[in-house]
């Protein structure tokens, strides 16, 4: 569907370098990265609003690098919605219709069903400034979808919303994506959104793609320390390897299998670290003695930091476990890690 | 009981300065407006020379604004939207007419349009006369008024998020269609403000006009002539008429440009 090859953008104080990726028709592809990673820039370049320094963009095998934005069949929805303030909701949604080749009657039906699905039929005649954030969002979504683009670019569609609306819009996005068959390319800095919406994702950092893969692949097997950190691995250590043993700060850890020679790090998800207040034996598990150094309350769960020697490990425990084991700062604990939950890269 | 706040000396200074500035501007103007009797005013406007000069002033200033609108709008858009090499240089060029002494503007234009200059010969062969004609007046007024139009409209364009134009383009609209359907409806108020600024500057021009076209006589030239030939008392009523008519026009334009309720 869309293929980006070696795309580079040079701005006075920012660079996007060698961006290459391929998105299949009907995919829900997600660009993930922290603020300032160049995500919006990349979307604008794909949409044709930004001159690119080198590289090319192809849609369905056709080179569109030099096409003006309107002839690319690519829609964009900005984080601040960019609705036309001098038009009503309906006028906004119908804005692009006159440039479409398709039959008008069909388009009107499509728009009506869109507005119905998004629940904005009753505000069709209102002006933009009188709308709530959620209504603006749904209007912007309807406007972008009204012209039936081949590809829809979404710039942080959920982050400007109240957290309690997010889930609703997330479900709507999911349904619209499924029913319209349009390829979605979304930018976000929130990994949870990527997990619940995306099929595949690319991690962007400082203008460079760090890793591309399915969401679960990136979640389980990050390729760089940055990605590991970004997907919430928390326990990331440079390590030296000997057969199936990794050494981190003089602590030896057993791995499931011998890692390749190029590996330099190990990473463990905090929810995969087991903490007990009594000695226990698990067959094949790595078991260490340690001391609890601090707690951070996250509401439903608690992050526990424990020191093993001078290495800090971070684990998630439920509130119930915490109380049952009567854990407190400076208490001695036993820490267990399954070899299978240790990721090397 | 209200507790009294301690009075901030700087705030007092600010209030004092506000009053001073307002008085400084308003006192001479009010004095001038109330000086002439109604009888004087009536006689003055019945004088065909005076009426013609005021009409010519407004007509030529309007033409200058129209020309500024046509050639200045796309230029202002470019300045507001694009960054290019030498942009700040271009921006300082557009401010030049504001800084140059007014008679110098007149001399510069005459120098280019004169018989001894190749450019002057070309336009004279085309039948265009600058010296002492309405054409000359309009050229001078456009020269001095254009920067005011461009700067005002540029600020107006800058206030419109570029994302609105981007979205319009992505929905299939061409650059032209985007300008007409998105940028213009959002910027026309600033264009009107620019036209008012340009007109106001043009109506007040004197220094360059006396050099390029003493005749046909514009209102400021007429006021100056009355002042030198007959004194203060005879020049005041013409000035008051010029002020009143200009004010009326500007107020009308402002009313037209008030935002409609539903869009707020």
């Amino acid at each position: 569907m869309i293929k980006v090859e070696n795309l580079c953008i040079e701005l006075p104080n920012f660079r996007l370098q060698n961006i290459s990726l391929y998105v299949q028709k009907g995919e829900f592809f997600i660009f993930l990265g922290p603020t300032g990673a160049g995500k919006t820039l990349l979307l604008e370049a794909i949409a044709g609003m930004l001159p690119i320094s080198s590289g090319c963009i192809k849609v369905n095998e056709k080179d569109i690098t030099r096409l003006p934005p309107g002839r690319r069949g690519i829609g964009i929805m900005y984080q601040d919605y960019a609705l036309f303030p001098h038009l009503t909701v309906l006028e906004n949604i119908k804005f692009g219709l006159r440039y479409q080749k398709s039959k008008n009657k069909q388009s009107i039906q499509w728009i009506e069903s869109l507005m119905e699905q998004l629940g904005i039929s009753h505000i069709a005649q209102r002006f933009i400034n009188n709308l709530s954030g959620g209504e603006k969002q749904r209007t912007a979504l309807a406007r972008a979808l009204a012209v039936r683009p081949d590809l829809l670019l979404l710039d942080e569609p959920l982050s400007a919303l109240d957290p309690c609306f997010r889930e609703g819009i997330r479900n709507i996005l999911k349904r619209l994506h499924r029913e319209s068959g349009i390829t979605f390319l979304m930018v976000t800095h929130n990994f949870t959104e990527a997990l619940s919406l995306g099929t595949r994702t690319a991690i962007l950092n400082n203008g460079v793609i760090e890793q591309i893969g399915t969401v679960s692949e990136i979640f389980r097997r990050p390729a760089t320390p940055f990605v590991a950190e970004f997907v919430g691995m928390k326990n990331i250590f440079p390590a030296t390897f000997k057969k199936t043993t990794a050494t981190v700060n003089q602590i030896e850890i057993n791995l499931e299998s011998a890692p390749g020679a190029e590996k330099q790090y190990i990473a463990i998800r905090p929810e995969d670290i087991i903490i007990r207040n009594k000695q226990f034996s698990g067959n094949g598990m790595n078991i260490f003695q340690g001391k609890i150094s601090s707690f951070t309350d996250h509401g439903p769960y608690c992050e526990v930091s424990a020191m093993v020697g001078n290495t800090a490990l971070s684990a998630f425990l439920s509130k119930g476990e915490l109380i049952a084991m009567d854990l407190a700062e400076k208490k001695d604990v036993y820490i267990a890690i399954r070899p299978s939950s240790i990721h090397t890269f | 009981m209200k507790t009294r706040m301690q009075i901030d000396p700087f705030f007092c200074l600010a209030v004092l300065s506000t009053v001073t500035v307002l008085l400084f501007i308003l006192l001479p103007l009010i004095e001038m407006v109330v000086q002439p009797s109604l009888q004087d005013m009536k006689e003055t406007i019945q004088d065909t020379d005076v009426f013609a000069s005021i009409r010519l002033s407004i007509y030529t200033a309007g033409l200058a604004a129209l020309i500024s609108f046509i050639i200045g709008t796309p230029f202002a858009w470019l300045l507001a939207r694009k960054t290019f090499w030498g942009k700040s240089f271009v921006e300082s060029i557009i401010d030049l007419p504001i800084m140059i002494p007014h008679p110098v503007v007149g001399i510069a234009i005459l120098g280019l349009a004169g018989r001894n200059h190749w450019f002057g010969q070309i336009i004279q062969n085309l039948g265009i006369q600058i010296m002492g004609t309405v054409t000359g007046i309009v050229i001078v007024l456009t020269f001095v008024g254009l920067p005011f139009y461009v700067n005002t409209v540029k600020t107006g364009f800058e206030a419109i998020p570029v994302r609105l134009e981007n979205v319009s383009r992505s929905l299939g609209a061409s650059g032209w269609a985007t300008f007409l359907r998105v940028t213009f409806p959002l910027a026309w108020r600033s264009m009107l403000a620019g036209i008012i600024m340009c007109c106001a500057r043009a109506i007040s021009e004197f220094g360059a006009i006396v050099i390029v076209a003493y005749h046909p006589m514009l209102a400021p030239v007429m006021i100056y002539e009355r002042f030198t030939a007959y004194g203060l008392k005879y020049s005041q009523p013409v000035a008051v008429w010029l002020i009143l008519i200009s004010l009326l026009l500007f107020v009308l334009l402002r009313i037209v440009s008030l935002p409609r309720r539903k869009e707020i």
Side-chain angles (χ1 to χ4, degrees):
Chain A
M1 158 72 214
I2 181 163
K3 201 172 189 178
V4 177
E5 286 170 359
N6 297 319
L7 181 90
C8 295
I9 298 173
E10 309 253 347
L11 291 181
N13 42 22
F14 191 77
R15 267 168 35 162
L16 271 180
Q17 293 165 67
N18 280 324
I19 304 288
S20 295
L21 57 101
Y22 177 72
V23 180
Q24 272 173 337
K25 190 168 167 47
E27 253 194 293
F28 201 131
F29 192 90
I30 303 220
F31 280 119
L32 206 55
T35 319
K39 297 171 302 210
T40 305
L41 222 55
L42 184 52
L43 284 197
E44 289 192 331
I46 292 174
M49 288 142 192
L50 212 65
I52 63 174
S53 314
S54 64
C56 77
I57 305 166
K58 288 176 184 166
V59 169
N60 298 330
E61 299 297 311
K62 202 178 117 209
D63 192 336
I64 59 155
T65 320
R66 309 259 163 259
L67 276 185
R71 307 238 313 271
R72 296 185 174 209
I74 297 177
I76 188 163
M77 186 181 132
Y78 279 111
Q79 182 177 10
D80 57 8
Y81 317 130
L83 292 165
F84 305 127
H86 58 298
L87 301 177
T88 63
V89 169
L90 188 63
E91 285 167 341
N92 260 282
I93 296 172
K94 282 178 156 180
F95 187 91
L97 276 198
R98 68 168 74 170
Y99 310 110
Q100 299 322 116
K101 290 183 199 107
S102 61
K103 290 267 180 304
N104 239 352
K105 218 174 202 172
Q106 262 179 332
S107 309
I108 298 288
Q109 268 173 7
W110 165 240
I111 283 179
E112 275 168 5
S113 86
L114 261 182
M115 292 178 71
E116 194 74 38
Q117 281 190 58
L118 289 165
I120 48 174
S121 306
H122 63 288
I123 54 166
Q125 302 309 326
R126 297 249 293 271
F127 278 92
I128 300 309
N129 291 333
N130 304 322
L131 303 184
S132 72
E135 287 167 340
K136 281 183 188 169
Q137 163 128 44
R138 282 172 282 160
T139 307
L141 197 56
R143 181 180 64 180
L145 288 170
V147 297
R148 291 194 220 230
D150 297 325
L151 173 68
L152 179 61
L153 309 174
L154 302 145
D155 184 9
E156 302 256 5
L158 303 173
S159 30
L161 285 181
D162 246 316
C164 46
F165 288 131
R166 265 184 221 164
E167 201 159 343
I169 286 281
R170 209 157 67 191
N171 293 335
I172 288 176
L173 275 179
K174 214 167 185 166
R175 204 179 62 222
L176 280 173
H177 171 251
R178 207 172 45 227
E179 288 170 5
S180 66
I182 293 170
T183 312
F184 278 31
L185 213 162
M186 177 173 133
V187 148
T188 178
H189 60 255
N190 183 330
F191 193 73
T192 328
E193 286 171 16
L195 270 178
S196 63
L197 287 170
T199 46
R200 285 196 313 140
T201 167
I203 310 272
L204 206 62
N205 182 32
N206 256 328
V208 183
I209 290 185
E210 296 243 351
Q211 190 176 359
I212 300 184
T214 64
V215 181
S216 66
E217 201 172 276
I218 283 178
F219 189 68
R220 303 292 337 173
R221 291 195 294 276
T224 67
F226 173 81
V227 178
E229 176 99 46
F230 197 81
V231 300
M233 282 273 192
K234 292 216 176 254
N235 303 293
I236 304 158
F237 307 102
T240 50
F241 299 97
K242 204 183 229 176
K243 289 184 184 161
T244 59
T245 314
T247 310
V248 175
N249 297 340
Q250 284 136 19
I251 302 165
E252 292 196 349
I253 304 170
N254 291 320
L255 306 174
E256 202 171 28
S257 56
E262 76 289 355
K263 312 276 178 162
Q264 295 173 34
Y265 295 91
I266 66 164
I268 310 151
R269 299 204 67 85
E271 58 268 33
D272 289 340
I273 291 184
I274 304 154
I275 291 189
R276 291 286 177 269
N277 57 352
K278 291 190 203 76
Q279 170 82 47
F280 74 115
S281 62
N283 36 358
M285 282 218 204
N286 293 290
I287 296 181
F288 310 103
Q289 235 184 325
K291 228 183 192 56
I292 290 184
S293 61
S294 70
F295 294 95
T296 315
D297 201 331
H298 287 279
Y301 63 92
C302 191
E303 185 180 342
V304 179
S305 276
M307 297 298 288
V308 175
N310 45 16
T311 305
L313 288 174
S314 170
F316 288 162
L317 289 182
S318 74
K319 286 272 172 66
E321 283 177 298
L322 217 61
I323 293 164
M325 289 191 281
D326 190 26
L327 295 181
E329 272 176 39
K330 304 222 172 104
K331 255 195 157 175
D332 287 318
V333 284
Y334 294 90
I335 295 153
I337 305 164
R338 270 190 198 86
S340 61
S341 51
I342 298 169
H343 170 62
T344 59
F345 59 98
Chain B
M1 200 184 95
K2 264 189 188 172
T3 47
R4 196 179 258 189
M5 285 258 284
Q6 208 182 345
I7 294 170
D8 179 8
F10 184 75
F11 181 72
C12 292
L13 184 70
V15 171
L16 195 71
S17 119
T18 309
V19 173
T20 314
V21 169
L22 290 181
L23 285 181
F24 179 65
I25 293 174
L26 288 177
L27 268 185
L29 289 180
I30 291 171
E31 181 59 23
M32 183 185 65
V33 171
V34 295
Q35 276 288 318
S37 66
L38 280 178
Q39 185 59 33
D40 287 344
M41 292 291 286
K42 196 176 159 212
E43 273 169 21
T44 307
I45 203 66
Q46 278 166 348
D47 180 340
T48 47
D49 285 348
V50 171
F51 186 75
S53 74
I54 291 178
R55 198 180 56 187
L56 185 65
S57 263
I58 287 164
Y59 169 68
T60 49
L63 269 183
L66 183 69
I67 294 170
S68 299
F69 169 73
I70 293 167
I71 63 172
T73 306
F75 176 57
W77 182 83
L78 193 79
L79 286 183
R81 281 290 180 253
K82 305 288 171 192
T83 45
F84 49 86
W85 188 85
K87 183 178 170 182
S88 46
F89 181 65
V90 173
E91 278 170 329
S92 38
I93 288 179
I94 186 67
D95 285 339
L96 275 183
I98 302 176
M99 291 181 280
I100 297 176
H102 300 174
V104 178
V105 171
I107 289 167
I109 288 176
L110 272 193
L112 186 68
R115 223 180 305 260
N116 301 326
H117 195 277
W118 61 267
F119 186 78
Q121 282 165 357
I122 291 177
I123 60 168
Q124 272 174 23
N125 289 341
L126 290 171
I128 299 169
Q129 281 284 346
I130 303 288
M131 184 84 185
T133 62
V134 173
T135 318
I137 292 174
V138 172
I139 287 172
V140 169
L141 297 190
T142 308
F143 190 91
V144 298
L146 192 54
F148 289 86
Y149 179 82
V150 169
N151 287 335
T152 310
V153 176
K154 185 183 127 201
T155 314
F157 282 147
E158 279 167 349
I160 301 170
V162 66
R163 290 181 170 191
L164 296 184
E165 290 175 5
N166 283 349
V167 165
S168 164
R169 298 294 307 268
S170 82
L171 290 170
S174 64
W176 244 122
T178 297
F179 183 81
L180 290 180
R181 292 185 70 194
V182 177
T183 318
F184 184 79
L186 293 172
W188 69 270
R189 281 195 188 92
S190 69
M191 291 179 193
L192 209 58
I195 285 173
I196 291 174
M197 293 290 288
C198 178
C199 271
R201 176 66 189 82
I203 283 180
S204 64
E205 180 53 41
F206 171 74
I209 288 296
V210 237
I211 286 175
V212 173
Y214 197 91
H215 289 281
M217 212 175 259
L218 284 188
V221 182
M222 167 76 71
I223 293 165
Y224 175 72
E225 198 191 52
R226 295 260 155 135
F227 174 70
T228 46
Y230 310 104
L232 196 59
K233 198 172 179 307
Y234 286 90
S235 62
Q236 272 170 340
V238 189
V240 172
W241 271 114
L242 183 63
I243 289 180
L244 286 181
I245 292 172
S246 313
L247 266 185
L248 184 75
L249 284 176
F250 294 153
V251 167
L252 276 179
L253 280 177
R254 275 286 175 207
I255 290 172
V256 174
S257 70
L258 280 181
R260 278 175 295 167
R261 263 237 120 115
K262 56 177 183 172
E263 286 179 25
I264 305 169

